[in-house]
Amino acid sequence: MEYRSVKETAEAWSITERLVQRLCSEGRVAGARKIGGSWAIPQEAEKPGDLRKRRAREPYAVDLPSEACNPVLPDSNRPRPVAPEQSHAAPERLNAPQDEQPASPNVFSRLMPLMNSSFEPGTCEETIAQFKDPSMRAIAQAEYCYFSGDAEGAAKRAGALTSHENLAVRLSACLIYAYANLPLGNINRAKFALAELRDALAKSPHASSAQSKAAMAFMGYTSSILLHLPPPEDAPPTNELLPLLPPGLRAFALYVRAHQLYLKGDHARSLGVAEAALLFSSKTYPIPEIYLHLVAVMDCMSLKRADDARVHLLTAWKLARPDGLIQAFGEHHGLLGGMLESVIKKDWPEDFKRIIDITYRFSAGWRRVHNSATAETVADNLTTTEFVVSMLAARGWTNQEIGAHLDISANTVKSYLTSSFRKLGISKRQELGQFMLR
């Protein structure tokens, strides 16, 4: 949900700022929230009718200086979405469906429904259309937008559901909204959604239930590990979480676990987790399986098993391409060790261009969250090829090995490294690690 300040609202409605404040304090502006000494008003809020009587009661109303009492709210100060029971808004179909019950302990029935769906590649849209529940269908559409690289569509659809009364829908919307805003450069909105995600379950009347705790852990690990941040301190161990999750979410949770092990440098164990999850899946869950194959690529490249990495990448591509689910490839580009350049670029050049565009946009937002939260400095001034070469070099690959993998000469590899050294202000190969992804 987008908000505007009192001043902006007054200009849009052609009334005084003081009157806007009065209307908000009287509960006549749907969804308005008070922040400090001012108000934040949803952009879609309608101007209340019958203002003439209200003006007649305050003939001496004057506007205070906007900088004194009505500051324009930056994204970081925008309020959290209002739950329907706290809002004066009329019920809406998606935000407060009257034919649905409040959140129940079984939070998984609507949590990330597309991720949790088994379907054959190429039938994603048909799968979404089969959801009878409007809120589940809306979340699934937001998921599809995100995982197919349409960040704008994902943010728009998920943003409309961040205040939903159903806990699972709200959690799903916040997660999608957070990650969709990274490639859009809306970092404060992404941080806001992540904070709302962490708070949502704590405020739920069912927060003490085992399934709610598992949902909290799932969302907590997912929202932190993928940003390469420490998981929440109060998150339960993953071995307690997994048995409570349905198959699709369990598969994605195993990807998150494998990714966590990868970040710790335990590549063999990470690969074991990913391959075991894929091996024991009785149905096809395309979204989590794409991510599992990609973390397997990361591990294989770290272990210098390029042939195995190629098999995993092509399997992920076979799952993803029929529905255009290419977001994960862009997210993981820097960790895939040049495998996209080696495998995808030649045979699918247009798809490769889209993936690289996603990479640049997503990684820019990712770094702004990750670097500020960890005090690390992942390089942001290298081209994708320079980054790939530098990543492999930092992992101990020789110029000859890198050249053979990327089908370029060792001298070309050396040129890329020289350019990277210059941009990073370093002089030795051993110094690359501090600027590369873990």
Side-chain angles (χ1 to χ4, degrees):
M1 183 180 294
E2 303 294 329
Y3 291 85
R4 58 188 174 192
S5 68
V6 170
K7 181 179 180 181
E8 293 169 329
T9 304
E11 292 174 352
W13 292 353
S14 300
I15 60 178
T16 66
E17 294 177 32
R18 182 174 178 178
L19 182 52
V20 172
Q21 290 180 323
R22 176 71 65 82
L23 293 169
C24 289
S25 65
E26 293 177 351
R28 300 183 63 195
V29 179
R33 295 294 303 276
K34 192 167 187 179
I35 302 295
S38 189
W39 291 84
I41 297 98
Q43 286 188 359
E44 67 271 20
E46 295 183 359
K47 175 182 177 181
D50 193 22
L51 297 182
R52 290 175 295 177
K53 294 180 180 179
R54 188 66 58 186
R55 282 186 179 275
R57 294 195 209 112
E58 50 173 315
Y60 305 109
V62 296
D63 291 338
L64 297 175
S66 60
E67 64 271 19
C69 65
N70 299 313
V72 177
L73 296 174
D75 284 348
S76 59
N77 290 329
R78 286 181 178 178
R80 294 175 180 162
V82 191
E85 62 270 15
Q86 297 172 311
S87 170
H88 297 278
E92 296 178 1
R93 178 59 193 161
L94 292 183
N95 284 342
Q98 298 186 48
D99 58 346
E100 294 175 358
Q101 297 299 316
S104 68
N106 184 11
V107 298
F108 297 125
S109 60
R110 297 178 186 171
L111 192 64
M112 300 298 287
L114 187 61
M115 177 186 289
N116 195 37
S117 291
S118 172
F119 58 91
E120 290 303 311
T123 64
C124 189
E125 291 184 278
E126 291 90 333
T127 300
I128 294 172
Q130 291 174 4
F131 288 117
K132 295 181 180 180
D133 185 293
S135 59
M136 288 182 68
R137 188 164 59 248
I139 282 293
Q141 288 169 338
E143 289 179 86
Y144 186 35
C145 285
Y146 179 75
F147 291 120
S148 62
D150 179 10
E152 291 86 352
K156 181 178 180 180
R157 291 175 182 275
L161 296 164
T162 54
S163 299
H164 199 282
E165 69 173 2
N166 181 272
L167 179 61
V169 173
R170 188 161 71 252
L171 290 172
S172 302
C174 286
L175 183 66
I176 299 166
Y177 189 71
Y179 275 88
N181 273 295
L182 292 179
L184 297 177
N186 301 324
I187 306 306
N188 286 329
R189 294 178 190 175
K191 291 180 177 179
F192 156 75
L194 290 173
E196 178 67 14
L197 182 69
R198 297 186 189 102
D199 289 346
L201 271 161
K203 298 176 181 177
S204 168
H206 306 288
S208 61
S209 74
Q211 287 194 331
S212 286
K213 288 181 179 179
M216 180 168 56
F218 175 83
M219 288 297 186
Y221 279 110
T222 299
S223 62
S224 58
I225 300 301
L226 303 192
L227 290 169
H228 293 192
L229 303 176
E233 294 182 0
D234 56 350
T238 52
N239 61 339
E240 297 179 11
L241 155 71
L242 293 173
L244 297 173
L245 295 174
L249 298 188
R250 186 185 309 135
F252 196 83
L254 285 167
Y255 153 76
V256 173
R257 175 59 176 155
H259 200 128
Q260 186 180 28
L261 290 168
Y262 169 88
L263 295 177
K264 294 179 178 180
D266 196 347
H267 304 303
R269 191 176 171 201
S270 173
L271 179 61
V273 169
E275 292 187 333
L278 291 164
L279 180 63
F280 289 105
S281 179
S282 59
K283 296 182 179 180
T284 300
Y285 292 87
I287 291 175
E289 288 183 21
I290 290 167
Y291 279 81
L292 282 164
H293 281 294
L294 291 181
V295 77
V297 173
M298 292 155 46
D299 292 317
C300 288
M301 291 305 293
S302 297
L303 296 169
K304 292 189 177 182
R305 292 168 50 180
D307 290 341
D308 292 333
R310 183 182 299 268
V311 171
H312 277 292
L313 187 74
L314 284 172
T315 306
W317 189 240
K318 185 178 180 180
L319 288 166
R321 192 165 186 264
D323 294 299
L325 302 173
I326 63 173
Q327 175 68 27
F329 296 84
E331 291 175 358
H332 292 77
H333 173 274
L335 297 170
L336 297 177
M339 193 55 67
L340 293 177
E341 284 77 4
S342 177
V343 176
I344 304 298
K345 184 177 182 179
K346 179 181 178 181
D347 294 331
W348 297 277
E350 293 304 314
D351 290 324
F352 179 78
K353 289 179 182 178
R354 281 199 64 210
I355 291 172
I356 294 303
D357 178 63
I358 290 171
T359 297
Y360 276 121
R361 295 174 68 196
F362 181 83
S363 60
W366 183 96
R367 281 190 297 264
R368 288 174 64 184
V369 174
H370 170 83
N371 290 0
S372 63
T374 64
E376 296 176 355
T377 309
V378 176
D380 63 356
N381 58 344
L382 304 183
T383 67
T384 53
T385 305
E386 288 170 344
F387 199 95
V388 164
V389 170
S390 298
M391 278 284 290
L392 291 172
R395 279 161 169 68
W397 288 51
T398 67
N399 288 3
Q400 289 74 21
E401 289 172 329
I402 297 172
H405 173 54
L406 297 178
D407 197 23
I408 57 179
S409 70
N411 284 336
T412 301
V413 173
K414 184 177 180 180
S415 296
Y416 279 123
L417 286 174
T418 299
S419 177
S420 298
F421 288 176
R422 183 178 65 254
K423 290 181 179 181
L424 297 175
I426 61 178
S427 58
K428 295 185 294 186
R429 202 181 188 97
Q430 291 77 7
E431 297 177 274
L432 281 172
Q434 61 185 307
F435 298 102
M436 297 294 103
L437 293 167
R438 299 295 181 260

